[in-house]
Amino acid sequence: MLQLYDYLESGNGYKVRLLLTQLGIPFERVELDILKGETRTREFLAKNPNGRIPLLELPDGTTLAESNAIQWYLAEGTRFLPEDRLGRAQVLQWMAFEQYSHEPFVAVLRFWHHAGTLAAHSEEEIAAKRSGGEAGLGVMERHLGQRPFFVGECYSIADIALYAYTHVAEEGGFELASYPAVRAWLERVRSQPGYVPITERVG
Ligand SMILES: N[C@@H](CCC(=O)N[C@@H](CS)C(=O)NCC(=O)O)C(=O)O
Protein backbone atom coordinates (compact mmCIF):
# COMPACT_ATOMS: atom_id res chain seq x y z
CA MET A 1 0.00 0.00 0.00
CA LEU A 2 1.09 3.60 -0.59
CA GLN A 3 2.29 5.44 2.50
CA LEU A 4 1.93 9.20 2.74
CA TYR A 5 4.13 11.02 5.25
CA ASP A 6 2.02 13.99 6.12
CA TYR A 7 0.97 16.64 8.66
CA LEU A 8 -2.74 17.30 8.96
CA GLU A 9 -2.60 21.13 8.89
CA SER A 10 -0.24 21.17 5.88
CA GLY A 11 -1.71 22.42 2.62
CA ASN A 12 1.12 20.69 0.75
CA GLY A 13 0.15 17.40 2.39
CA TYR A 14 -3.52 18.11 1.75
CA LYS A 15 -2.96 18.37 -2.02
CA VAL A 16 -1.84 14.73 -2.10
CA ARG A 17 -4.45 13.53 0.43
CA LEU A 18 -7.26 15.18 -1.53
CA LEU A 19 -6.08 13.77 -4.87
CA LEU A 20 -5.61 10.23 -3.50
CA THR A 21 -9.11 10.38 -2.01
CA GLN A 22 -10.66 11.71 -5.22
CA LEU A 23 -8.88 8.99 -7.20
CA GLY A 24 -10.14 6.35 -4.77
CA ILE A 25 -6.58 5.06 -4.17
CA PRO A 26 -6.11 3.46 -0.73
CA PHE A 27 -3.17 4.78 1.27
CA GLU A 28 -1.83 4.86 4.78
CA ARG A 29 -1.11 8.25 6.32
CA VAL A 30 1.91 8.60 8.59
CA GLU A 31 1.52 11.75 10.67
CA LEU A 32 4.74 13.65 11.45
CA ASP A 33 4.54 16.68 13.72
CA ILE A 34 6.61 19.32 11.92
CA LEU A 35 6.46 21.58 14.99
CA LYS A 36 8.25 18.87 17.00
CA GLY A 37 10.95 18.36 14.35
CA GLU A 38 9.69 14.93 13.35
CA THR A 39 10.65 15.59 9.70
CA ARG A 40 14.25 16.16 10.78
CA THR A 41 14.98 12.80 12.42
CA ARG A 42 17.76 10.64 10.99
CA GLU A 43 15.17 8.03 10.00
CA PHE A 44 13.01 10.48 8.03
CA LEU A 45 16.00 12.30 6.47
CA ALA A 46 17.03 8.93 5.03
CA LYS A 47 13.71 8.91 3.18
CA ASN A 48 13.68 12.62 2.26
CA PRO A 49 17.02 14.42 2.68
CA ASN A 50 15.10 17.71 2.33
CA GLY A 51 13.33 16.96 5.64
CA ARG A 52 9.85 17.90 4.52
CA ILE A 53 6.43 16.36 4.07
CA PRO A 54 4.58 15.38 1.96
CA LEU A 55 6.53 12.28 1.00
CA LEU A 56 4.99 9.36 -0.85
CA GLU A 57 6.48 5.92 -0.31
CA LEU A 58 5.62 3.28 -2.88
CA PRO A 59 5.14 -0.39 -1.90
CA ASP A 60 8.68 -1.20 -3.16
CA GLY A 61 10.18 1.46 -0.88
CA THR A 62 10.77 4.09 -3.58
CA THR A 63 10.09 7.59 -2.26
CA LEU A 64 8.83 10.70 -4.01
CA ALA A 65 8.93 14.19 -2.49
CA GLU A 66 7.42 17.58 -3.46
CA SER A 67 3.64 17.89 -3.38
CA ASN A 68 3.26 18.85 -7.03
CA ALA A 69 5.59 16.11 -8.32
CA ILE A 70 3.64 13.57 -6.27
CA GLN A 71 0.40 14.91 -7.70
CA TRP A 72 1.80 14.65 -11.23
CA TYR A 73 2.81 11.02 -10.63
CA LEU A 74 -0.61 10.10 -9.26
CA ALA A 75 -2.62 12.03 -11.86
CA GLU A 76 -0.86 10.60 -14.93
CA GLY A 77 -3.46 8.89 -17.15
CA THR A 78 -6.41 10.19 -15.13
CA ARG A 79 -8.98 12.97 -15.67
CA PHE A 80 -6.95 15.20 -13.33
CA LEU A 81 -4.24 15.81 -15.96
CA PRO A 82 -4.99 16.84 -19.57
CA GLU A 83 -3.70 14.62 -22.36
CA ASP A 84 -2.75 17.37 -24.81
CA ARG A 85 0.70 18.92 -24.85
CA LEU A 86 -0.44 22.50 -24.24
CA GLY A 87 -2.88 21.55 -21.48
CA ARG A 88 -0.18 19.61 -19.63
CA ALA A 89 2.25 22.50 -19.94
CA GLN A 90 -0.42 24.89 -18.62
CA VAL A 91 -0.98 22.65 -15.59
CA LEU A 92 2.76 22.75 -14.97
CA GLN A 93 2.74 26.52 -15.43
CA TRP A 94 0.15 26.99 -12.64
CA MET A 95 1.88 24.52 -10.35
CA ALA A 96 5.15 26.44 -10.76
CA PHE A 97 3.24 29.68 -10.11
CA GLU A 98 1.86 28.12 -6.94
CA GLN A 99 5.31 27.21 -5.64
CA TYR A 100 7.02 30.50 -6.54
CA SER A 101 4.35 33.23 -6.39
CA HIS A 102 1.72 31.91 -3.98
CA GLU A 103 2.89 29.32 -1.41
CA PRO A 104 5.94 31.30 -0.18
CA PHE A 105 3.57 34.14 0.82
CA VAL A 106 0.09 32.77 1.54
CA ALA A 107 1.24 29.51 3.18
CA VAL A 108 4.13 31.04 5.08
CA LEU A 109 2.00 33.77 6.71
CA ARG A 110 -0.55 31.11 7.73
CA PHE A 111 2.26 29.00 9.18
CA TRP A 112 3.60 31.94 11.21
CA HIS A 113 0.10 32.37 12.68
CA HIS A 114 -0.26 28.63 13.37
CA ALA A 115 3.17 28.18 14.88
CA GLY A 116 2.75 31.33 16.98
CA THR A 117 5.93 32.83 15.52
CA LEU A 118 4.41 35.93 13.89
CA ALA A 119 5.86 38.21 16.59
CA ALA A 120 9.36 36.96 15.75
CA HIS A 121 9.12 38.61 12.32
CA SER A 122 9.52 42.29 11.54
CA GLU A 123 6.66 44.44 10.24
CA GLU A 124 8.55 44.73 6.94
CA GLU A 125 8.82 40.95 6.57
CA ILE A 126 5.13 40.51 7.32
CA ALA A 127 4.16 43.31 4.91
CA ALA A 128 6.31 41.73 2.16
CA LYS A 129 4.57 38.37 2.67
CA ARG A 130 1.19 40.10 2.58
CA SER A 131 1.88 42.06 -0.61
CA GLY A 132 3.38 38.98 -2.31
CA GLY A 133 0.27 36.99 -1.42
CA GLU A 134 -2.07 39.75 -2.62
CA ALA A 135 -0.19 39.87 -5.93
CA GLY A 136 -0.61 36.11 -6.38
CA LEU A 137 -4.30 36.26 -5.48
CA GLY A 138 -4.72 39.11 -7.97
CA VAL A 139 -3.26 37.00 -10.78
CA MET A 140 -5.64 34.18 -9.85
CA GLU A 141 -8.62 36.55 -9.72
CA ARG A 142 -7.96 37.88 -13.22
CA HIS A 143 -7.48 34.38 -14.66
CA LEU A 144 -10.56 32.91 -12.97
CA GLY A 145 -12.73 35.86 -14.03
CA GLN A 146 -12.70 34.34 -17.53
CA ARG A 147 -12.94 30.58 -16.88
CA PRO A 148 -14.22 28.00 -14.37
CA PHE A 149 -10.89 26.27 -13.64
CA PHE A 150 -7.21 27.01 -14.14
CA VAL A 151 -6.73 24.94 -17.30
CA GLY A 152 -9.37 24.45 -19.98
CA GLU A 153 -12.88 23.72 -18.77
CA CYS A 154 -11.90 20.97 -16.33
CA TYR A 155 -10.82 20.55 -12.74
CA SER A 156 -7.18 19.38 -12.64
CA ILE A 157 -4.23 19.06 -10.29
CA ALA A 158 -3.49 22.74 -11.04
CA ASP A 159 -6.71 23.54 -9.16
CA ILE A 160 -5.81 21.24 -6.28
CA ALA A 161 -2.33 22.80 -6.02
CA LEU A 162 -3.77 26.32 -5.79
CA TYR A 163 -6.82 25.42 -3.71
CA ALA A 164 -4.76 23.93 -0.87
CA TYR A 165 -3.52 27.21 0.60
CA THR A 166 -6.00 29.64 -0.98
CA HIS A 167 -9.00 28.17 0.84
CA VAL A 168 -7.28 28.69 4.19
CA ALA A 169 -5.65 32.03 3.26
CA GLU A 170 -7.82 33.84 5.83
CA GLU A 171 -6.01 31.87 8.56
CA GLY A 172 -2.94 33.86 7.52
CA GLY A 173 -4.80 37.16 7.65
CA PHE A 174 -5.71 37.46 3.95
CA GLU A 175 -9.20 38.81 3.15
CA LEU A 176 -10.83 37.01 0.23
CA ALA A 177 -13.82 39.39 0.07
CA SER A 178 -12.23 41.39 -2.74
CA TYR A 179 -11.59 38.27 -4.85
CA PRO A 180 -15.09 37.18 -6.00
CA ALA A 181 -13.86 35.00 -8.89
CA VAL A 182 -11.48 33.19 -6.53
CA ARG A 183 -14.31 32.65 -4.02
CA ALA A 184 -16.62 31.25 -6.74
CA TRP A 185 -13.83 28.90 -7.86
CA LEU A 186 -13.27 27.75 -4.25
CA GLU A 187 -16.95 26.72 -4.21
CA ARG A 188 -16.56 24.85 -7.51
CA VAL A 189 -13.58 22.93 -6.11
CA ARG A 190 -15.51 22.12 -2.91
CA SER A 191 -18.34 20.64 -4.99
CA GLN A 192 -16.09 18.14 -6.83
CA PRO A 193 -16.87 14.43 -6.25
CA GLY A 194 -14.86 12.91 -3.41
CA TYR A 195 -13.94 16.28 -1.90
CA VAL A 196 -12.64 16.10 1.68
CA PRO A 197 -11.81 19.05 3.93
CA ILE A 198 -8.22 19.72 5.01
CA THR A 199 -8.93 18.70 8.60
CA GLU A 200 -10.49 15.33 7.74
CA ARG A 201 -8.32 12.35 8.65
CA VAL A 202 -8.38 10.25 5.50
CA GLY A 203 -6.11 7.31 4.67
N1 LIG B 1 7.89 22.48 -1.97
C1 LIG B 1 7.50 21.50 -0.99
C2 LIG B 1 7.32 22.19 0.36
C3 LIG B 1 7.10 21.18 1.47
C4 LIG B 1 7.05 21.85 2.83
O1 LIG B 1 7.37 23.05 2.99
N2 LIG B 1 6.66 21.06 3.84
C5 LIG B 1 6.57 21.58 5.18
C6 LIG B 1 5.13 21.41 5.69
S1 LIG B 1 3.99 22.28 4.67
C7 LIG B 1 7.48 20.77 6.10
O2 LIG B 1 7.55 19.57 5.98
N3 LIG B 1 8.16 21.43 7.04
C8 LIG B 1 8.92 20.75 8.03
C9 LIG B 1 10.33 21.18 8.09
O3 LIG B 1 10.74 22.06 7.30
O4 LIG B 1 11.03 20.62 8.94
C10 LIG B 1 6.22 20.80 -1.43
O5 LIG B 1 5.47 21.38 -2.24
O6 LIG B 1 5.99 19.65 -1.03
Side-chain angles (χ1 to χ4, degrees):
M1 180 171 316
L2 294 175
Q3 286 202 309
L4 177 65
Y5 294 83
D6 192 9
Y7 175 65
L8 197 64
E9 282 79 16
S10 163
N12 286 317
Y14 176 54
K15 293 172 195 171
V16 181
R17 233 181 285 148
L18 176 58
L19 178 61
L20 281 165
T21 306
Q22 293 189 308
L23 284 169
I25 298 176
F27 65 103
E28 186 190 338
R29 222 171 62 81
V30 182
E31 177 82 0
L32 296 182
D33 189 338
I34 63 171
L35 301 178
K36 292 188 179 149
E38 289 178 2
T39 46
R40 300 296 165 139
T41 62
R42 195 190 314 184
E43 190 190 8
F44 186 69
L45 287 170
K47 292 181 188 291
N48 182 9
N50 200 27
R52 289 185 170 83
I53 60 89
L55 182 79
L56 187 71
E57 188 167 347
L58 308 185
D60 70 358
T62 307
T63 52
L64 187 60
E66 293 294 329
S67 58
N68 290 342
I70 301 171
Q71 285 207 88
W72 193 275
Y73 171 78
L74 293 169
E76 193 70 68
T78 77
R79 67 184 175 87
F80 294 85
L81 188 57
E83 282 177 16
D84 66 293
R85 183 177 176 185
L86 182 61
R88 290 163 73 83
Q90 286 171 332
V91 168
L92 202 50
Q93 172 197 315
W94 284 108
M95 289 174 120
F97 166 84
E98 187 267 340
Q99 288 282 289
Y100 193 77
S101 302
H102 186 285
E103 197 256 18
F105 307 102
V106 177
V108 169
L109 257 192
R110 172 176 175 261
F111 181 72
W112 288 353
H113 276 85
H114 267 256
T117 57
L118 197 64
H121 298 276
S122 67
E123 275 180 28
E124 291 74 21
E125 271 182 292
I126 294 169
K129 290 291 177 200
R130 188 159 315 289
S131 68
E134 299 288 354
L137 290 166
V139 170
M140 291 170 65
E141 177 68 18
R142 286 187 289 281
H143 187 71
L144 290 168
Q146 313 295 322
R147 47 186 73 73
F149 294 107
F150 274 91
V151 179
E153 296 295 305
C154 299
Y155 176 66
S156 73
I157 52 174
D159 297 287
I160 298 182
L162 280 157
Y163 178 81
Y165 284 109
T166 305
H167 86 294
V168 288
E170 292 185 341
E171 293 176 19
F174 290 94
E175 263 290 338
L176 294 182
S178 49
Y179 302 102
V182 168
R183 283 191 287 115
W185 163 78
L186 291 177
E187 277 311 313
R188 281 193 289 280
V189 173
R190 254 179 228 121
S191 66
Q192 294 301 306
Y195 174 84
V196 281
I198 189 167
T199 45
E200 191 163 322
R201 287 181 191 275
V202 285

